[in-house]
Amino acid sequence: MARLPVSAEKLIEEFGPHLNYPPKEGYAGRDEPDKEVKTHCCFCGMQCGMKLLVKDNKVVGFEPWMEFPYNQGRLCPKGVERYLQNNHPDRLIHPLQREEGKGFKNVSWNSAMEKTVSEIKRIQQQYGNDAFAMLSGVSLSNEKSYLVGKFARVALKTANLDYNGRLCMVSAGAGNKKAFGLDRISNSFEDLERAEVIIVTGANVSETFPTLTHWIWRARDYGAKLIVVDPRMIPLARTADLHLPVRPGTDSALYGAMLKYLADHDMLDHDFIDNHTSGFQEALDAVQGYTLEWAEQVTGIEKAKIELAAQWWGKASTSFLLHARGIEHHTKGVDNVLGCINLVLATGRIGKPYCGYGTITGQGNGQGGREHGHKCDQLPGNRDITNPEHRKIVSDIWGINEKDLPGKGLTAYELIEAIHRGEVKGLISICFNPIVSLPNNNFVREAFEKLEFYACIDFFMNETSRHADIIFPGSLQEEEEGTVTSAEGRVIRVRKVVDCPGEARPDTSIILELADRLGAGDKFKFETSEDIFNELRVASRGSTADYYGITYKKIEDNMGIFWPCPTLDHPGTKRLWEDKKFCTPDQKAHFNPVKYREPGEVTDEEYPVVMTTGRVVSQYLSGTQTRRIGKLVDNFPEPKVEIHPQLAKKYNIRQDEIIRVVTRRGSAEFPANIVETIRTDTIFLPYHWPGRKSANQFTTGNLDPISKIPEFKVCACRVEGTGVFAGPSTDSKAYAST
Ligand SMILES: Nc1nc2c(c(=O)[nH]1)N[C@H]1C(S)=C(S)[C@@H](COP(=O)(O)OP(=O)(O)OC[C@H]3O[C@@H](n4cnc5c(=O)[nH]c(N)nc54)[C@H](O)[C@@H]3O)O[C@H]1N2
Ligand SMILES: Nc1nc2c(c(=O)[nH]1)N[C@H]1C(S)=C(S)[C@@H](COP(=O)(O)OP(=O)(O)OC[C@H]3O[C@@H](n4cnc5c(=O)[nH]c(N)nc54)[C@H](O)[C@@H]3O)O[C@H]1N2
Ligand code: SF4
Ligand SMILES: [Mo]
């Protein structure tokens, strides 16, 4: 038997009984499935290939899909458990209607639809079209993302549509568009392999994109130097050559000082800067005075380490810079992204083999979902809803008059503020759990209590849908055909593997019926997901996210196609800008000046500690899905506060003691986990839990002025011991469902 890649062997050791690899004849120890279908994980942006096993129209297990080029059979702890959702006892299998004071009752599809449509009409007649809003999410396929964008504008006729990528990808998107005119990672992850220096900043890769670790390890095998920037010594940092433990909220000072160092020591690619970029001098002027000493003071990183990082980066001949939410979830998220891009452009290492830059896309379809028009300012093909030319193109394809196409709406958190002020009265949401995932969630809950009508499409009940008047039972990824676009920009096929259980229905059919009942049926004549994809292809044609040349068949024949792919005979684009023609109007890559600013909330005497928030490996986002999967719950049953021994000592806190975290927005109690891997002035709280366990009861509503992303990564707090110790409350059963 051929030797398996090391991490596959590891996986088998760990998950042997599930993996059943190499397959035993007749699937020993398990009922023989009726079929196995090659598809993808439903969770993060890596979109690992896997095979789902089906028996009697139910998903009963999985097998690795060894040939899929990105993950080559590897899966992470969430991936190996995702198959447990389709059959889950908590699945919503009937439409539900809430009766005040009595909870939810089952209702017929007809009555749920009638109620929803009559409320939409009532609210829009009484308060105007924009008083009814929609929120969407990018776990949805490309087809559903496109459909939601069209539904909101053409059937609901509202400007107020936004999506959960607003909490995720928008700082990177705005930065990428400013610098390159296009919003995608520059190269596929294969190009990591021969990068001499890799910077990973604000990305806890081993926990959040576990299968990507493989490509970084491959680079390490070839001798790459790895630099990790993170306030915590995350698992990846433990194997890195250099760890820069940045004080949360100060990254732009670090990148500014590195840029100045590169210029002062002439580690620049002058030819590239002169011929293929603009704005270098302005960017350099902005960082005058950003000495290593100054940067050490602001970021808390020793200057010798900053210097070493700048030297390694400056001298490398190939490199890759990757970042994720750690630098993007800030009131200067866009600045941080631009600061990173300036380092890439200064050294000219882009558009070449093994030279790449990019954000690591978070959600399953975080890439495709941010291109197809369910952002408040966007039309399909990443077009601009305020641009008359773009509006005309899309209106023509949708068969509507351009003047009937709504304009720019409110962003997700601004929408909640508008609901709170009583300006927006009705809402429909799909694939979003704002009461857990938006910041300052007590305020968010108040807003939901004020809505006159709220409908929700989901396959599980979540904390937000508890406030819904109508819940439509929707579909899992494996219950509809479609495509998604992975973090690499690879458009791939997700397959319908089983039918929805009970009375649940595919998300698409729910939206199509609503469109029909709202009188827009003639604009939504789609029979299949492929029909929707074909309209999306046309709508994106000639745009900066061009899918025109991609077809279902082409994707299947090639195990994915990288966009842009402008014509049917085009092979797709794995590596962008090899011709050095960037997608900006002047075809140059743009430097942008970045001046350091403080975070929206800073520490003071009363709140002297920085709190930052994020993820753990076994839980996913607001936890609606993973808090229902026993093994994942056992792995991390409840949030614990990571705190450094020095800080713990200062407040007389001991391991597993319940500590009180106090912020300007309230306080709550959590067990302490004393670890040496975090800065001494910072605590970390994972955010996958609701209510009194939520991180977002503390976070602020401060937004980046450009991207409007909330500052999830910084708020000020203090911690207090209680003398009580964590006991049996960690029993996983208590968290088995929301
Ligand atoms: N297990 C798991 N995997 C996931 C997800 C999940 O919920 N669970 N979600 C998916 C999604 S949607 C996303 S967006 C991604 C997110 O993936 P990541 O961005 O990797 O995840 P986070 O934990 O939010 O933040 C990453 C790191 O940022 C660090 N950090 C905090 N503040 C700062 C700062 O000011 N500067 C720097 N440089 N670093 C900072 C934190 O210590 C943390 O280690 O993960 C995806 N994958
Ligand atoms: N404090 C703090 N807060 C954060 C973050 C942080 O780092 N710290 N990270 C932010 C980030 S990066 C993100 S992406 C957001 C995510 O925040 P959310 O988008 O609110 O999180 P999800 O858990 O994905 O919630 C989505 C809901 O969609 C449902 N769903 C999933 N797939 C489908 C589907 O195919 N169809 C239908 N109908 N429903 C579906 C799930 O059951 C779930 O109820 O959280 C943000 N909030
Ligand atoms: S790395 Fe992401 S896509 Fe791959 S198995 Fe894990 S959660 Fe799923
Ligand atoms: Mo995200």
Side-chain angles (χ1 to χ4, degrees), residues 139-140 144 164 167-168 325 329 363 430-434 437 457-459 462 475 507 613-615 621-625 687 695-696 699 712-713:
S139 294
L140 297 179
K144 293 185 206 177
N164 65 3
L167 318 182
C168 186
R325 304 312 82 75
H329 279 158
Q363 298 174 75
I430 178 167
C431 196
F432 199 164
N433 188 9
S437 53
I457 308 172
D458 210 305
F459 43 74
N462 67 31
S475 52
D507 293 336
T613 67
R615 297 159 163 76
L621 302 181
S622 72
T624 314
Q625 295 168 267
Y687 93 99
N696 281 326
T699 48
F712 291 121
K713 293 294 187 265

Side-chain angles (χ1 to χ4, degrees), residues 358-650:
T359 184
I360 317 177
T361 290
Q363 298 174 75
N365 193 28
Q367 180 65 56
R370 69 183 195 261
E371 298 153 7
H372 303 306
H374 56 164
K375 285 164 85 163
C376 67
D377 51 355
Q378 184 206 55
L379 291 170
N382 217 342
R383 289 192 161 97
D384 178 356
I385 205 163
T386 62
N387 178 323
E389 207 181 303
H390 293 185
R391 292 172 61 83
K392 174 84 173 72
I393 293 171
V394 176
S395 307
D396 286 351
I397 292 166
W398 286 352
I400 59 169
N401 199 319
E402 194 253 82
K403 71 175 182 3
D404 295 330
L405 181 64
K408 185 174 167 193
L410 295 170
T411 62
Y413 192 75
E414 291 173 323
L415 196 56
I416 301 294
E417 290 174 325
I419 295 172
H420 205 276
R421 288 194 301 270
E423 290 162 22
V424 170
K425 304 282 190 184
L427 178 73
I428 181 165
S429 75
I430 178 167
C431 196
F432 199 164
N433 188 9
I435 286 186
V436 179
S437 53
L438 280 174
N440 193 11
N441 61 20
N442 287 316
F443 174 83
V444 178
R445 184 177 310 102
E446 279 170 24
F448 272 85
E449 281 161 9
K450 291 184 175 184
L451 280 170
E452 289 186 10
F453 179 78
Y454 169 41
C456 171
I457 308 172
D458 210 305
F459 43 74
F460 286 139
M461 182 77 93
N462 67 31
E463 292 71 18
T464 312
S465 56
R466 288 184 188 284
H467 295 258
D469 298 284
I470 295 287
I471 304 179
F472 295 107
S475 52
L476 283 171
Q477 187 228 50
E478 55 266 40
E479 292 162 1
E480 263 196 87
E481 295 289 346
T483 61
V484 297
T485 307
S486 78
E488 295 184 290
R490 190 195 302 259
V491 186
I492 49 183
R493 280 281 275 120
V494 292
R495 305 306 305 251
K496 177 173 190 293
V497 173
V498 289
D499 296 315
C500 299
E503 289 179 45
R505 278 175 39 183
D507 293 336
T508 305
S509 79
I510 300 170
I511 297 168
L512 290 179
E513 181 168 345
L514 284 170
D516 195 35
R517 286 179 183 245
L518 285 164
D522 60 321
K523 305 283 188 295
F524 291 84
K525 288 202 156 44
F526 302 112
E527 298 285 328
T528 62
S529 299
E530 194 168 5
D531 291 346
I532 303 175
F533 188 74
N534 284 334
E535 190 175 292
L536 175 164
R537 290 175 47 219
V538 174
S540 75
R541 190 176 194 174
S543 74
T544 56
D546 196 333
Y547 280 51
Y548 181 70
I550 306 177
T551 63
Y552 274 22
K553 176 156 188 333
K554 210 161 142 183
I555 298 173
E556 277 163 46
D557 290 349
N558 296 280
M559 286 194 274
I561 298 286
F562 290 81
W563 73 265
C565 181
T567 58
L568 287 169
D569 57 4
H570 191 287
T573 315
K574 235 180 182 178
R575 190 182 295 129
L576 294 168
W577 308 311
E578 291 198 90
D579 57 1
K580 305 274 187 295
K581 289 194 168 52
F582 295 92
C583 306
T584 51
D586 60 4
Q587 297 197 328
K588 294 194 168 178
H590 294 182
F591 281 92
N592 285 272
V594 179
K595 279 243 166 254
Y596 172 71
R597 292 184 272 128
E598 285 194 325
E601 187 174 75
V602 290
T603 53
D604 57 16
E605 260 176 41
E606 209 181 337
Y607 302 100
V609 178
V610 180
M611 183 196 303
T612 193
T613 67
R615 297 159 163 76
V616 297
V617 68
S618 64
Q619 288 298 317
Y620 192 67
L621 302 181
S622 72
T624 314
Q625 295 168 267
T626 46
R627 277 186 282 116
R628 289 188 156 90
I629 298 178
K631 283 206 175 65
L632 299 179
V633 176
D634 290 346
N635 195 300
F636 213 102
E638 64 177 355
K640 291 185 176 190
V641 171
E642 282 182 23
I643 180 169
H644 191 274
Q646 276 181 30
L647 194 59
K649 196 165 167 220
K650 186 167 166 193

Side-chain angles (χ1 to χ4, degrees), residues 95 146 164 204 237 243 267 290 327 377 403 440 452 496 502 538 551 593 602 608 661 677 685 689 701 726:
Y146 176 84
N164 65 3
N204 183 7
H243 172 221
M267 295 180 183
Y290 286 19
I327 70 158
D377 51 355
K403 71 175 182 3
N440 193 11
E452 289 186 10
K496 177 173 190 293
V538 174
T551 63
V602 290
V661 175
T677 47
L685 184 63
W689 292 266

Side-chain angles (χ1 to χ4, degrees), residues 46 138 163-177 183-185 189 199-205 208-209 212 229-231 246-252 255 321-341 357-363 366-367 370 375 439 487 597 599-600 612-615 700 702-714:
M46 296 302 110
V138 288
Y163 81 134
N164 65 3
R166 186 68 58 192
L167 318 182
C168 186
M169 303 307 310
V170 285
S171 294
N176 279 245
K177 275 182 142 180
D183 175 20
R184 204 207 90 179
I185 194 167
F189 290 131
I199 294 184
V200 175
T201 173
N204 183 7
V205 173
T208 52
F209 310 107
L212 179 58
V229 188
D230 200 297
V246 65
R247 179 178 290 131
T250 63
D251 287 79
S252 56
Y255 313 134
L321 191 152
L322 290 169
H323 56 75
R325 304 312 82 75
I327 70 158
E328 299 163 28
H329 279 158
H330 293 275
T331 46
K332 51 177 172 300
V334 179
D335 281 359
N336 287 341
V337 168
L338 293 170
C340 286
I341 294 175
Y357 155 79
T359 184
I360 317 177
T361 290
Q363 298 174 75
Q367 180 65 56
R370 69 183 195 261
K375 285 164 85 163
R597 292 184 272 128
T612 193
T613 67
R615 297 159 163 76
T700 70
N702 296 332
L703 307 179
D704 181 290
I706 298 171
S707 69
K708 305 290 168 105
I709 208 167
E711 191 149 60
F712 291 121
K713 293 294 187 265
V714 186

Side-chain angles (χ1 to χ4, degrees), residues 144-166:
K144 293 185 206 177
S145 301
Y146 176 84
L147 186 65
V148 166
K150 182 172 176 183
F151 170 80
R153 275 66 174 254
V154 176
L156 280 178
K157 300 184 168 62
T158 181
N160 286 326
L161 160 72
D162 206 39
Y163 81 134
N164 65 3
R166 186 68 58 192

